[in-house]
Amino acid sequence: MARAAPVTSATPRPATGDRSEAVLSRLQLLVTRKLDGLLQGDYAGLLPGPGSEAGESREYRPGDDVRRMDWPVTARTTTAHVRRTVADRELETWLAVDLSASLDFGTGRWLKREVVVAAAAAITHLTVRGGNRVGAVVGTGGGTAAPAGWRRRPPVAGPGVLTRLPARSGRREAQGLLRALAGTELRPGRSDLGALVDMLNRPPRRRGVAVVISDFLAPPEQWARPLRKLRVRHDVLAIEVVDPRELELPDVGVLPVVDPETGELHEVQTADPGLRHRYAEAAAAQRAAISTALRSAGAAHLRLRTDRDWLLDMVRFVAAQRHARTRGTTR
């Protein structure tokens, strides 16, 4: 039986466009089969909570949320009234997609970049119905596009490049958005995640759903404040993409490690149990800091791994959100 040749800089690779089309077609089939029917209705959001549009007032009843008191009506009638809210009949969802060079990495079943595109496809499928609109802002590194084998020498990194894809309704427009995401070129460097999230705050938009998809490896001080600001007006979902090698190192002897954002090369002696222990502790502390920052910002947190069934994890998350809604809780 013939053996597969190792992938090198000289090994031909499939065209990016053809590969992206094949991946998106497979994703559409998977998402349609497993995620269809999980929403509460065509106009329900991904995250549980009341509607945002003002409705009619009614008299206060024990158990009503006092934060919804309608004080002008209460003053006129001298009877306590609360303002009811109704769900928006048209949902606008915005994706903030981080496609820094660190996403072009994966030791599990998928690359982190592939999981990012898959998560964006699933979110798009869940929201682009009933005339709902989906848009995106995309952040990449600012260096020149990386040629094959660029890891052999440090690339010249530049400032991050941020791109806005306008929100449009319809499945055809949504597929075009996903093709743009899947076809985004890998560029050296890291995008500014804080600036990427802040693009969803400007200009101010009607209340909706904001989804941030990233590995969140940038320091929380860079993106936590813009995320809190975003949560004031929108339901926010943070999707964190993780590879198992970012959490622990295997015992494989001397391991050459390259930073995909700078091209810097290090050789790590993974046979040292002390080093592996310190690495695991530092990685756990880093992920705990990310979780704390997301929780403090009021964002719902979904973690997807490259070595797990990301679609099953997303199905469980949506089902948990549905269960939280039926129980009348907010998380």
Side-chain angles (χ1 to χ4, degrees):
M1 185 172 63
R3 297 178 59 187
V7 177
T8 65
S9 58
T11 303
R13 298 187 181 185
T16 302
D18 296 340
R19 182 179 180 183
S20 298
E21 288 294 332
V23 169
L24 290 178
S25 298
R26 186 171 71 251
L27 282 176
Q28 184 178 13
L29 180 62
L30 287 173
V31 169
T32 302
R33 284 179 176 177
K34 290 194 176 182
L35 287 185
D36 224 8
L38 286 179
L39 292 183
Q40 293 298 303
D42 283 345
Y43 302 99
L46 289 171
L47 307 179
S52 58
E53 294 297 313
E56 298 179 352
S57 294
R58 62 168 174 80
E59 290 190 10
Y60 174 85
R61 291 194 289 264
D64 286 339
D65 190 345
V66 295
R67 292 174 297 182
R68 296 184 189 167
M69 291 293 296
D70 191 337
W71 295 113
V73 175
T74 299
R76 289 197 304 268
T77 63
T78 69
T79 303
H81 279 70
V82 292
R83 172 73 67 176
R84 291 186 297 180
T85 56
V86 296
D88 296 339
R89 297 303 292 174
E90 185 180 90
L91 178 70
E92 185 168 285
T93 299
W94 277 88
L95 310 177
V97 184
D98 179 11
L99 288 178
S100 299
S102 64
L103 275 298
D104 191 49
F105 172 75
T107 61
R109 300 167 58 185
W110 321 91
L111 292 175
K112 290 166 63 178
R113 175 194 178 98
E114 293 173 337
V115 177
V116 166
V117 175
I123 296 298
T124 299
H125 173 79
L126 286 172
T127 55
V128 65
R129 50 175 68 193
N132 296 334
R133 297 190 301 272
V134 181
V137 292
V138 186
T140 63
T144 56
W150 67 271
R151 292 180 179 83
R152 297 180 182 274
R153 63 186 186 278
V156 179
V161 175
L162 306 179
T163 306
R164 187 187 302 273
L165 304 175
R168 295 190 174 97
S169 60
R171 292 193 177 275
R172 180 176 298 180
E173 298 293 341
Q175 285 298 313
L177 182 146
L178 292 175
R179 289 191 188 96
L181 290 179
T184 300
E185 288 184 292
L186 168 67
R187 295 179 180 274
R190 166 162 287 280
S191 64
D192 187 336
L193 184 56
L196 181 67
V197 173
D198 210 34
M199 284 185 70
L200 300 184
N201 290 314
R202 300 192 306 268
R205 298 181 177 87
R206 61 183 297 181
R207 294 182 184 275
V209 176
V211 183
V212 182
I213 310 175
S214 173
D215 54 11
F216 290 95
L217 292 183
E221 296 79 15
Q222 181 189 104
W223 47 263
R225 185 174 181 180
L227 201 64
R228 287 195 298 269
K229 182 180 177 181
L230 186 66
R231 180 63 182 87
V232 170
R233 189 166 182 82
H234 305 282
D235 284 332
V236 178
L237 169 61
I239 300 181
E240 178 190 4
V241 180
V242 181
D243 186 84
R245 294 289 76 84
E246 294 172 335
L247 305 178
E248 59 182 6
L249 288 176
D251 183 359
V252 292
V254 178
L255 178 67
V257 180
V258 179
D259 186 339
E261 297 179 355
T262 65
E264 189 175 356
L265 173 66
H266 295 278
E267 291 188 347
V268 180
Q269 178 53 269
T270 61
D272 182 357
L275 183 143
R276 296 199 306 273
H277 179 70
R278 292 192 301 272
Y279 180 91
E281 284 188 336
Q286 180 188 43
R287 295 300 164 179
I290 292 172
S291 297
T292 299
L294 293 175
R295 186 168 55 252
S296 299
H301 182 196
L302 170 61
R303 178 175 291 171
L304 302 179
R305 292 174 53 123
T306 61
D307 60 340
R308 289 172 53 109
D309 186 343
W310 62 267
L311 190 53
L312 179 59
D313 289 339
M314 185 162 283
V315 167
R316 288 172 175 167
F317 174 81
V318 175
Q321 297 297 310
R322 179 182 63 178
H323 179 65
R325 177 180 300 222
T326 58
R327 293 181 57 190
T329 59
T330 57
R331 284 288 179 269

